[in-house]
Amino acid sequence: MPPMVKGSTALVVGGVGPIGRSIVRGFLQAGAEVIINSRSEAKLAALAKDLGHPAGLHCVLGTMMPSGVDRTMEKVLSIGTPSHVVAHAGVAWFTPKGDEDETNILASPRGSLLEMDRQVFADSTGLLVNMQFGVASLLIPKMRQMQGCSYTFITGTSSTMQRDLSPLSRINTHHISGLASALRAESKSRADSIYLSELRIGNLPMRNLPSMAKDPTQMPLSAEIGMLAAGIATTGARWAGPQSGGDLYSVGSLDELNALRARFPVDEVPGPKIPALWHWQGHSDRTLKPRMETGDGE
C-alpha cells in the first residue's frame, strides 16, 4: 500500500526542541502539512528560519498546558484535523538557565525531595502528563472517525539525560510513559483504527560532541530519534486497522536504534530538500548550537 503521509496533516507536540524539530523535518520531507505550537514566538520563528520557511509548516502561538490547551487546539483544528500526532515533551538537560519550559520542572527542589511541600509536589509531578492527556483527549476521538491515522508517544530519556534530570523531571517523564501504556492497552481492547504506538528511549549514550564538531554531517542522537518517530508515523499511515495491539518500540542501544531506523524509513517525496538541522558550529557540555545553513546534510 502506498504511503499516505503526503498531503496529510501532522501535529508535533514539543516540536521546537532538539528531537521535535527533527520530527517536524521528517514529516515535511514526507510531504505532510505540519503544525507546531509554542508559547514562544521567538522559538517558532527560529525553527521556521532553520527549516527554510517551508510552505507546509504552520506555527501556532499557544500553550498545550491545561490553562490554554482548548484555545490552542482551536487554532490547530482551524488549520486541519491532524491525521498524525507525535507527542513529545522531553526534558532537555542542556536547556540554558533562564530558558526553561513553562512547567518549571527542570529546577531541583531546595534540599531533599522529601522536604518539598506536599501541595507543591502534587501540583508539579503531573504537569507534563496533564498536558499530554489534554491533547490526546481532544484529538483521539476525532481521529477515530478517520482512516490512516497514527498517534505516537515518545517517552523515556537517554542515559546521559537521566543522570542530569531533576527529581520532578524524572517523575513527570515516567508519568507520560504510564499514560502511553494505558492508551495503548485501551486501543488494543477497542480494536482501534488508530495506529497508536510508543517509542521508549532508554540507556542511549549521547554522541561525543567533539567528534560531532569534527564531522558536522554526523547526525546527533536527537535527530536520529526524531527521524525514527516520523518513520513510525509513516507506517501508521499505511495502517488499514483495526489495530491488533498498541505497539511499543524500545530503544536501549545504538544497534537497536539503527535497526528501527532501517525498519521505519521516512518516505520522502521528490522536490527540494528541507535544510538539515544537525550541522553543528560549536559544542559544549551544556549547549548544542545548530548552524544556520541549508544543504541536504544527508
Side-chain angles (χ1 to χ4, degrees):
M1 182 181 296
M4 297 164 56
V5 168
K6 181 180 179 182
S8 66
T9 300
L11 170 67
V12 181
V13 181
V16 297
I19 292 177
R21 58 177 33 218
S22 294
I23 302 170
V24 171
R25 182 187 185 274
F27 275 124
L28 288 170
Q29 199 65 65
E33 300 287 314
V34 185
I35 305 171
I36 59 172
N37 80 282
S38 175
R39 67 190 178 104
S40 169
E41 191 169 9
K43 289 181 180 180
L44 291 172
L47 179 56
K49 179 181 178 182
D50 291 353
L51 290 167
H53 298 285
L57 180 66
H58 304 271
C59 298
V60 172
L61 185 63
T63 179
M64 292 296 191
M65 295 299 290
S67 61
V69 64
D70 290 298
R71 292 189 297 274
T72 302
M73 286 307 305
E74 285 181 3
K75 297 178 183 179
V76 168
L77 293 173
S78 70
I79 298 169
T81 301
S83 298
H84 307 287
V85 177
V86 177
H88 166 66
V91 183
W93 60 272
F94 48 77
T95 301
K97 186 177 181 180
D99 196 31
E100 294 90 350
D101 70 358
E102 61 194 296
T103 65
N104 295 319
I105 63 172
L106 293 177
S108 296
R110 294 180 180 178
S112 168
L113 174 64
L114 296 178
E115 296 173 6
M116 179 181 289
D117 180 85
R118 288 195 295 265
Q119 188 57 53
V120 174
F121 179 86
D123 293 340
S124 302
T125 53
L127 286 170
L128 287 184
V129 73
N130 285 337
M131 180 187 76
Q132 297 290 10
F133 177 81
V135 176
S137 67
L138 291 171
L139 283 182
I140 288 181
K142 297 180 182 296
M143 296 169 72
R144 282 176 172 150
Q145 308 303 315
M146 304 162 61
Q147 295 295 321
C149 294
S150 70
Y151 203 110
T152 308
F153 286 92
I154 300 182
T155 64
T157 56
S158 72
S159 57
T160 305
M161 291 183 182
Q162 289 174 11
R163 183 188 65 215
D164 291 276
L165 287 180
S166 72
L168 293 178
S169 299
R170 293 174 185 271
I171 295 169
N172 272 270
T173 298
H174 284 284
H175 279 184
I176 294 177
S177 184
L179 173 65
S181 177
L183 287 175
R184 288 191 295 107
E186 180 179 276
S187 181
K188 180 178 181 179
S189 67
R190 291 174 55 99
D192 230 337
S193 60
I194 301 174
Y195 188 80
L196 203 153
S197 60
E198 177 185 355
L199 174 59
R200 186 177 297 172
I201 309 300
N203 298 320
L204 284 176
M206 293 289 286
R207 292 240 168 89
N208 181 275
L209 294 180
S211 68
M212 286 170 57
K214 293 179 181 179
D215 181 8
T217 63
Q218 185 178 357
M219 189 184 299
L221 183 61
S222 58
E224 291 223 45
I225 294 171
M227 296 295 283
L228 172 58
I232 290 173
T234 300
T235 298
R238 298 188 179 100
W239 194 259
Q243 185 168 329
S244 59
D247 290 330
L248 170 63
Y249 304 106
S250 295
V251 180
S253 68
L254 293 179
D255 287 342
E256 289 178 348
L257 175 62
N258 292 334
L260 285 173
R261 289 261 356 247
R263 180 181 173 187
F264 300 112
V266 175
D267 293 318
E268 299 187 357
V269 297
K273 298 285 283 186
I274 302 295
L277 298 175
W278 45 84
H279 288 240
W280 308 102
Q281 63 181 8
H283 62 85
S284 72
D285 289 337
R286 304 298 294 179
T287 59
L288 301 177
K289 299 178 180 179
R291 182 185 299 170
M292 301 298 183
E293 283 189 356
T294 57
D296 59 32
E298 302 288 338

Short mmCIF file of all heavy atoms in Angstrom, two decimals, residues 5-10 27-34 56-57 84 269:
data_model
loop_
_atom_site.label_atom_id
_atom_site.label_comp_id
_atom_site.label_asym_id
_atom_site.label_seq_id
_atom_site.Cartn_x
_atom_site.Cartn_y
_atom_site.Cartn_z
N VAL A 5 1.19 9.66 4.02
CA VAL A 5 1.60 10.85 4.76
C VAL A 5 1.52 12.08 3.86
O VAL A 5 1.13 13.17 4.30
CB VAL A 5 3.01 10.66 5.34
CG1 VAL A 5 3.56 11.99 5.86
CG2 VAL A 5 2.98 9.65 6.48
N LYS A 6 1.90 11.94 2.59
CA LYS A 6 1.89 13.07 1.68
C LYS A 6 0.49 13.68 1.60
O LYS A 6 -0.51 12.98 1.37
CB LYS A 6 2.32 12.62 0.27
CG LYS A 6 2.34 13.76 -0.74
CD LYS A 6 2.78 13.27 -2.10
CE LYS A 6 2.77 14.41 -3.11
NZ LYS A 6 3.16 13.95 -4.47
N GLY A 7 0.41 14.97 1.84
CA GLY A 7 -0.85 15.69 1.78
C GLY A 7 -1.65 15.63 3.05
O GLY A 7 -2.68 16.30 3.16
N SER A 8 -1.21 14.84 4.04
CA SER A 8 -1.92 14.76 5.31
C SER A 8 -1.44 15.87 6.24
O SER A 8 -0.51 16.60 5.94
CB SER A 8 -1.72 13.40 5.96
OG SER A 8 -0.36 13.22 6.32
N THR A 9 -2.11 15.99 7.39
CA THR A 9 -1.74 16.99 8.38
C THR A 9 -1.18 16.29 9.61
O THR A 9 -1.74 15.32 10.10
CB THR A 9 -2.97 17.83 8.80
OG1 THR A 9 -3.49 18.48 7.63
CG2 THR A 9 -2.59 18.87 9.83
N ALA A 10 -0.05 16.79 10.09
CA ALA A 10 0.61 16.21 11.26
C ALA A 10 0.79 17.29 12.32
O ALA A 10 1.07 18.45 12.01
CB ALA A 10 1.96 15.62 10.88
N PHE A 27 8.47 14.86 8.74
CA PHE A 27 7.12 14.96 8.18
C PHE A 27 7.10 15.88 6.96
O PHE A 27 6.43 15.58 5.96
CB PHE A 27 6.16 15.50 9.24
CG PHE A 27 5.58 14.44 10.14
CD1 PHE A 27 5.71 14.54 11.52
CD2 PHE A 27 4.89 13.36 9.63
CE1 PHE A 27 5.17 13.58 12.36
CE2 PHE A 27 4.34 12.40 10.45
CZ PHE A 27 4.48 12.50 11.83
N LEU A 28 7.80 17.00 7.03
CA LEU A 28 7.84 17.92 5.90
C LEU A 28 8.45 17.25 4.68
O LEU A 28 7.96 17.40 3.55
CB LEU A 28 8.63 19.18 6.26
CG LEU A 28 7.96 20.15 7.23
CD1 LEU A 28 8.96 21.21 7.69
CD2 LEU A 28 6.75 20.83 6.59
N GLN A 29 9.55 16.50 4.91
CA GLN A 29 10.21 15.84 3.80
C GLN A 29 9.34 14.74 3.21
O GLN A 29 9.46 14.40 2.04
CB GLN A 29 11.54 15.25 4.26
CG GLN A 29 12.52 14.95 3.13
CD GLN A 29 12.98 16.22 2.41
OE1 GLN A 29 13.64 17.06 2.98
NE2 GLN A 29 12.61 16.34 1.14
N ALA A 30 8.41 14.21 4.02
CA ALA A 30 7.47 13.19 3.53
C ALA A 30 6.25 13.80 2.86
O ALA A 30 5.36 13.07 2.42
CB ALA A 30 7.03 12.29 4.69
N GLY A 31 6.17 15.14 2.80
CA GLY A 31 5.09 15.80 2.08
C GLY A 31 3.88 16.16 2.91
O GLY A 31 2.82 16.47 2.36
N ALA A 32 4.01 16.14 4.24
CA ALA A 32 2.87 16.47 5.11
C ALA A 32 2.81 17.96 5.39
O ALA A 32 3.82 18.68 5.31
CB ALA A 32 2.98 15.71 6.43
N GLU A 33 1.61 18.42 5.72
CA GLU A 33 1.44 19.74 6.32
C GLU A 33 1.68 19.57 7.82
O GLU A 33 1.07 18.69 8.45
CB GLU A 33 0.03 20.27 6.08
CG GLU A 33 -0.35 20.42 4.62
CD GLU A 33 0.36 21.61 3.97
OE1 GLU A 33 0.38 22.70 4.59
OE2 GLU A 33 0.88 21.43 2.86
N VAL A 34 2.57 20.35 8.40
CA VAL A 34 2.99 20.13 9.78
C VAL A 34 2.63 21.32 10.65
O VAL A 34 2.95 22.47 10.30
CB VAL A 34 4.51 19.86 9.87
CG1 VAL A 34 4.90 19.51 11.30
CG2 VAL A 34 4.90 18.73 8.93
N GLY A 56 4.70 24.21 3.94
CA GLY A 56 3.88 23.26 4.67
C GLY A 56 3.98 23.36 6.18
O GLY A 56 3.36 22.55 6.89
N LEU A 57 4.73 24.32 6.68
CA LEU A 57 4.89 24.47 8.14
C LEU A 57 3.91 25.51 8.66
O LEU A 57 3.86 26.63 8.16
CB LEU A 57 6.31 24.89 8.48
CG LEU A 57 6.62 25.07 9.98
CD1 LEU A 57 6.53 23.75 10.71
CD2 LEU A 57 8.01 25.69 10.17
N HIS A 84 -1.86 12.62 11.90
CA HIS A 84 -0.72 12.06 12.60
C HIS A 84 -0.31 13.00 13.72
O HIS A 84 -0.20 14.21 13.52
CB HIS A 84 0.46 11.84 11.65
CG HIS A 84 0.10 11.04 10.44
ND1 HIS A 84 -0.14 9.68 10.50
CD2 HIS A 84 -0.13 11.41 9.15
CE1 HIS A 84 -0.46 9.24 9.29
NE2 HIS A 84 -0.47 10.27 8.47
N VAL A 269 9.28 12.67 -0.37
CA VAL A 269 8.70 12.98 -1.67
C VAL A 269 9.72 13.74 -2.50
O VAL A 269 10.62 14.39 -1.97
CB VAL A 269 7.42 13.83 -1.50
CG1 VAL A 269 6.35 13.06 -0.73
CG2 VAL A 269 7.73 15.16 -0.80
#
